[in-house]
Short mmCIF file of all heavy atoms in Angstrom, two decimals:
data_model
loop_
_atom_site.label_atom_id
_atom_site.label_comp_id
_atom_site.label_asym_id
_atom_site.label_seq_id
_atom_site.Cartn_x
_atom_site.Cartn_y
_atom_site.Cartn_z
N ALA A 55 130.75 108.68 70.64
CA ALA A 55 130.63 107.84 69.43
C ALA A 55 130.35 106.39 69.88
O ALA A 55 130.78 105.93 70.92
CB ALA A 55 131.92 107.91 68.66
N ILE A 56 129.60 105.67 69.02
CA ILE A 56 129.32 104.28 69.29
C ILE A 56 130.62 103.48 69.06
O ILE A 56 131.24 103.58 68.00
CB ILE A 56 128.20 103.77 68.38
CG1 ILE A 56 126.90 104.51 68.74
CG2 ILE A 56 128.03 102.28 68.44
CD1 ILE A 56 125.72 104.22 67.86
N THR A 57 131.02 102.71 70.07
CA THR A 57 132.26 101.94 69.94
C THR A 57 132.01 100.48 69.53
O THR A 57 132.96 99.80 69.19
CB THR A 57 133.10 101.98 71.24
OG1 THR A 57 132.29 101.43 72.31
CG2 THR A 57 133.53 103.38 71.60
N LEU A 58 130.75 100.02 69.61
CA LEU A 58 130.49 98.64 69.17
C LEU A 58 130.57 98.57 67.66
O LEU A 58 130.01 99.46 66.99
CB LEU A 58 129.12 98.22 69.66
CG LEU A 58 128.96 97.95 71.15
CD1 LEU A 58 127.53 97.52 71.47
CD2 LEU A 58 129.96 96.89 71.61
N ASP A 59 131.24 97.52 67.14
CA ASP A 59 131.32 97.42 65.70
C ASP A 59 130.00 96.94 65.11
O ASP A 59 129.20 96.31 65.78
CB ASP A 59 132.51 96.53 65.33
CG ASP A 59 132.34 95.14 65.91
OD1 ASP A 59 131.48 94.38 65.36
OD2 ASP A 59 133.02 94.83 66.91
N PRO A 60 129.79 97.21 63.84
CA PRO A 60 128.50 96.83 63.19
C PRO A 60 128.21 95.32 63.28
O PRO A 60 127.05 94.93 63.44
CB PRO A 60 128.71 97.26 61.71
CG PRO A 60 129.79 98.29 61.77
CD PRO A 60 130.66 97.96 62.93
N GLU A 61 129.27 94.53 63.25
CA GLU A 61 129.02 93.08 63.32
C GLU A 61 128.47 92.67 64.69
O GLU A 61 127.57 91.86 64.79
CB GLU A 61 130.39 92.40 63.03
CG GLU A 61 130.25 91.03 62.46
CD GLU A 61 130.44 89.97 63.53
OE1 GLU A 61 131.39 90.10 64.35
OE2 GLU A 61 129.64 89.03 63.58
N THR A 62 128.97 93.29 65.76
CA THR A 62 128.44 92.99 67.09
C THR A 62 127.03 93.51 67.22
O THR A 62 126.12 92.82 67.78
CB THR A 62 129.36 93.65 68.17
OG1 THR A 62 130.66 93.10 68.05
CG2 THR A 62 128.85 93.39 69.58
N LEU A 63 126.75 94.70 66.70
CA LEU A 63 125.38 95.22 66.75
C LEU A 63 124.44 94.27 66.01
O LEU A 63 123.33 93.98 66.47
CB LEU A 63 125.33 96.63 66.13
CG LEU A 63 125.96 97.74 66.96
CD1 LEU A 63 126.08 99.04 66.15
CD2 LEU A 63 125.16 97.99 68.24
N ALA A 64 124.90 93.73 64.85
CA ALA A 64 124.06 92.80 64.11
C ALA A 64 123.85 91.51 64.89
O ALA A 64 122.74 90.96 64.92
CB ALA A 64 124.71 92.51 62.74
N ALA A 65 124.87 91.06 65.59
CA ALA A 65 124.75 89.81 66.36
C ALA A 65 123.76 90.05 67.53
O ALA A 65 122.94 89.16 67.85
CB ALA A 65 126.11 89.38 66.89
N LEU A 66 123.83 91.22 68.17
CA LEU A 66 122.87 91.53 69.24
C LEU A 66 121.46 91.59 68.67
O LEU A 66 120.50 91.06 69.29
CB LEU A 66 123.24 92.87 69.89
CG LEU A 66 124.53 92.91 70.69
CD1 LEU A 66 124.94 94.35 70.97
CD2 LEU A 66 124.35 92.15 72.04
N ALA A 67 121.29 92.23 67.52
CA ALA A 67 119.97 92.32 66.92
C ALA A 67 119.44 90.97 66.55
O ALA A 67 118.23 90.69 66.66
CB ALA A 67 120.04 93.21 65.68
N ALA A 68 120.31 90.08 66.17
CA ALA A 68 119.89 88.71 65.82
C ALA A 68 119.29 87.99 67.05
O ALA A 68 118.40 87.16 66.89
CB ALA A 68 121.05 87.90 65.23
N VAL A 69 119.78 88.33 68.22
CA VAL A 69 119.24 87.68 69.43
C VAL A 69 117.84 88.16 69.76
O VAL A 69 116.94 87.37 70.06
CB VAL A 69 120.18 87.93 70.63
CG1 VAL A 69 119.55 87.39 71.94
CG2 VAL A 69 121.54 87.31 70.43
N VAL A 70 117.62 89.47 69.69
CA VAL A 70 116.34 90.04 70.14
C VAL A 70 115.38 90.32 68.98
O VAL A 70 114.21 90.67 69.21
CB VAL A 70 116.56 91.34 70.98
CG1 VAL A 70 117.09 90.98 72.34
CG2 VAL A 70 117.46 92.31 70.26
N GLY A 71 115.87 90.25 67.78
CA GLY A 71 115.01 90.58 66.61
C GLY A 71 115.35 92.03 66.24
O GLY A 71 115.48 92.92 67.12
N ALA A 72 115.43 92.26 64.90
CA ALA A 72 115.95 93.53 64.41
C ALA A 72 115.21 94.75 64.96
O ALA A 72 115.81 95.74 65.33
CB ALA A 72 115.87 93.54 62.89
N GLY A 73 113.92 94.69 65.15
CA GLY A 73 113.16 95.85 65.65
C GLY A 73 113.42 96.11 67.13
O GLY A 73 112.97 97.14 67.64
N HIS A 74 114.12 95.21 67.76
CA HIS A 74 114.28 95.34 69.22
C HIS A 74 115.71 95.65 69.70
O HIS A 74 116.05 95.43 70.82
CB HIS A 74 113.78 94.05 69.91
CG HIS A 74 112.34 93.78 69.57
ND1 HIS A 74 111.35 94.66 69.74
CD2 HIS A 74 111.76 92.68 68.98
CE1 HIS A 74 110.19 94.17 69.32
NE2 HIS A 74 110.43 92.96 68.85
N LEU A 75 116.49 96.15 68.74
CA LEU A 75 117.80 96.72 69.11
C LEU A 75 117.84 98.11 68.53
O LEU A 75 117.66 98.28 67.34
CB LEU A 75 118.95 95.87 68.56
CG LEU A 75 120.30 96.39 69.10
CD1 LEU A 75 120.63 95.75 70.42
CD2 LEU A 75 121.42 96.17 68.11
N ARG A 76 118.10 99.09 69.39
CA ARG A 76 118.14 100.47 68.90
C ARG A 76 119.49 101.09 69.25
O ARG A 76 119.99 100.90 70.36
CB ARG A 76 117.02 101.30 69.52
CG ARG A 76 115.66 100.90 69.03
CD ARG A 76 114.58 101.69 69.70
NE ARG A 76 114.67 103.15 69.47
CZ ARG A 76 113.82 104.05 70.00
NH1 ARG A 76 112.81 103.66 70.75
NH2 ARG A 76 113.99 105.33 69.76
N SER A 77 120.02 101.85 68.31
CA SER A 77 121.23 102.63 68.65
C SER A 77 121.05 104.05 68.17
O SER A 77 122.04 104.77 67.97
CB SER A 77 122.49 101.99 68.06
OG SER A 77 122.31 101.77 66.70
N ASP A 78 119.79 104.48 68.03
CA ASP A 78 119.52 105.86 67.63
C ASP A 78 119.67 106.81 68.80
O ASP A 78 119.69 106.38 69.97
CB ASP A 78 118.08 105.95 67.05
CG ASP A 78 117.06 105.43 68.05
OD1 ASP A 78 116.84 104.20 68.11
OD2 ASP A 78 116.50 106.23 68.80
N HIS A 79 119.78 108.08 68.48
CA HIS A 79 120.01 109.12 69.48
C HIS A 79 118.96 109.07 70.59
O HIS A 79 119.28 109.11 71.79
CB HIS A 79 120.01 110.49 68.79
CG HIS A 79 120.36 111.65 69.70
ND1 HIS A 79 121.63 112.15 69.84
CD2 HIS A 79 119.57 112.37 70.51
CE1 HIS A 79 121.64 113.12 70.71
NE2 HIS A 79 120.38 113.30 71.12
N GLU A 80 117.70 109.01 70.19
CA GLU A 80 116.61 109.09 71.19
C GLU A 80 116.69 107.95 72.22
O GLU A 80 116.60 108.18 73.42
CB GLU A 80 115.26 109.02 70.42
CG GLU A 80 114.09 109.27 71.28
CD GLU A 80 112.77 109.00 70.55
OE1 GLU A 80 112.76 108.67 69.35
OE2 GLU A 80 111.72 109.11 71.20
N ALA A 81 116.92 106.72 71.72
CA ALA A 81 116.97 105.60 72.64
C ALA A 81 118.20 105.70 73.55
O ALA A 81 118.11 105.42 74.76
CB ALA A 81 117.03 104.27 71.85
N ARG A 82 119.30 106.15 73.01
CA ARG A 82 120.53 106.26 73.81
C ARG A 82 120.34 107.35 74.91
O ARG A 82 120.72 107.12 76.05
CB ARG A 82 121.74 106.56 72.92
CG ARG A 82 122.06 105.39 71.96
CD ARG A 82 123.25 105.74 71.11
NE ARG A 82 124.50 105.82 71.87
CZ ARG A 82 125.56 106.52 71.49
NH1 ARG A 82 125.53 107.25 70.40
NH2 ARG A 82 126.67 106.51 72.20
N VAL A 83 119.78 108.49 74.52
CA VAL A 83 119.58 109.55 75.54
C VAL A 83 118.63 109.07 76.64
O VAL A 83 118.86 109.28 77.83
CB VAL A 83 119.03 110.85 74.89
CG1 VAL A 83 118.65 111.86 75.96
CG2 VAL A 83 120.10 111.46 73.97
N ALA A 84 117.57 108.38 76.23
CA ALA A 84 116.58 107.92 77.20
C ALA A 84 117.14 106.93 78.19
O ALA A 84 116.57 106.72 79.26
CB ALA A 84 115.37 107.33 76.47
N HIS A 85 118.26 106.30 77.85
CA HIS A 85 118.87 105.30 78.77
C HIS A 85 120.19 105.81 79.37
O HIS A 85 121.04 105.02 79.79
CB HIS A 85 119.09 104.00 78.02
CG HIS A 85 117.77 103.30 77.68
ND1 HIS A 85 117.05 103.68 76.58
CD2 HIS A 85 117.07 102.37 78.33
CE1 HIS A 85 115.92 102.97 76.58
NE2 HIS A 85 115.93 102.15 77.60
N THR A 86 120.37 107.14 79.35
CA THR A 86 121.59 107.70 79.92
C THR A 86 121.38 108.02 81.39
O THR A 86 120.56 108.89 81.75
CB THR A 86 121.98 109.03 79.18
OG1 THR A 86 122.13 108.70 77.81
CG2 THR A 86 123.26 109.60 79.71
N ARG A 87 122.05 107.24 82.25
CA ARG A 87 122.01 107.43 83.73
C ARG A 87 120.57 107.29 84.24
O ARG A 87 119.70 106.73 83.55
CB ARG A 87 122.57 108.79 84.14
CG ARG A 87 123.96 109.09 83.55
CD ARG A 87 124.51 110.38 84.09
NE ARG A 87 125.69 110.79 83.28
CZ ARG A 87 125.62 111.73 82.31
NH1 ARG A 87 124.52 112.36 82.03
NH2 ARG A 87 126.71 112.03 81.65
N GLY A 88 120.31 107.80 85.47
CA GLY A 88 119.02 107.64 86.10
C GLY A 88 118.39 108.98 86.46
O GLY A 88 118.46 109.93 85.70
N TRP A 89 117.86 109.07 87.69
CA TRP A 89 117.06 110.21 88.07
C TRP A 89 117.57 110.93 89.33
O TRP A 89 116.79 111.61 90.00
CB TRP A 89 115.61 109.78 88.30
CG TRP A 89 114.90 109.60 86.99
CD1 TRP A 89 114.83 108.45 86.25
CD2 TRP A 89 114.22 110.63 86.21
NE1 TRP A 89 114.14 108.69 85.10
CE2 TRP A 89 113.73 109.97 85.05
CE3 TRP A 89 113.93 111.96 86.42
CZ2 TRP A 89 113.02 110.69 84.09
CZ3 TRP A 89 113.22 112.65 85.44
CH2 TRP A 89 112.78 112.00 84.29
N SER A 90 118.85 110.80 89.66
CA SER A 90 119.36 111.66 90.75
C SER A 90 119.43 113.07 90.20
O SER A 90 119.50 113.28 88.96
CB SER A 90 120.75 111.19 91.19
OG SER A 90 121.71 111.48 90.21
N THR A 91 119.52 114.04 91.06
CA THR A 91 119.62 115.45 90.59
C THR A 91 120.90 115.63 89.80
O THR A 91 120.82 116.27 88.72
CB THR A 91 119.51 116.43 91.80
OG1 THR A 91 118.16 116.32 92.27
CG2 THR A 91 119.82 117.84 91.42
N PRO A 92 122.08 115.10 90.17
CA PRO A 92 123.24 115.27 89.30
C PRO A 92 123.00 114.62 87.93
O PRO A 92 123.42 115.17 86.90
CB PRO A 92 124.38 114.55 90.06
CG PRO A 92 123.97 114.64 91.49
CD PRO A 92 122.48 114.56 91.49
N ASP A 93 122.32 113.46 87.89
CA ASP A 93 122.00 112.85 86.59
C ASP A 93 121.22 113.83 85.73
O ASP A 93 121.48 114.01 84.55
CB ASP A 93 121.14 111.59 86.78
CG ASP A 93 121.89 110.41 87.38
OD1 ASP A 93 123.16 110.45 87.43
OD2 ASP A 93 121.22 109.45 87.84
N LEU A 94 120.20 114.44 86.35
CA LEU A 94 119.36 115.36 85.56
C LEU A 94 120.12 116.59 85.15
O LEU A 94 120.00 117.08 84.03
CB LEU A 94 118.12 115.77 86.41
CG LEU A 94 117.24 114.60 86.86
CD1 LEU A 94 116.01 115.13 87.60
CD2 LEU A 94 116.81 113.71 85.73
#
Side-chain angles (χ1 to χ4, degrees):
I56 293 175
T57 57
L58 288 179
D59 59 73
E61 206 261 315
T62 299
L63 288 170
L66 291 166
V69 173
V70 286
H74 302 305
L75 186 87
R76 290 178 61 181
S77 52
D78 55 276
H79 185 93
E80 188 188 357
R82 294 179 70 205
V83 172
H85 292 82
T86 302
R87 310 186 193 98
W89 283 90
S90 71
T91 291
D93 289 345
L94 302 184

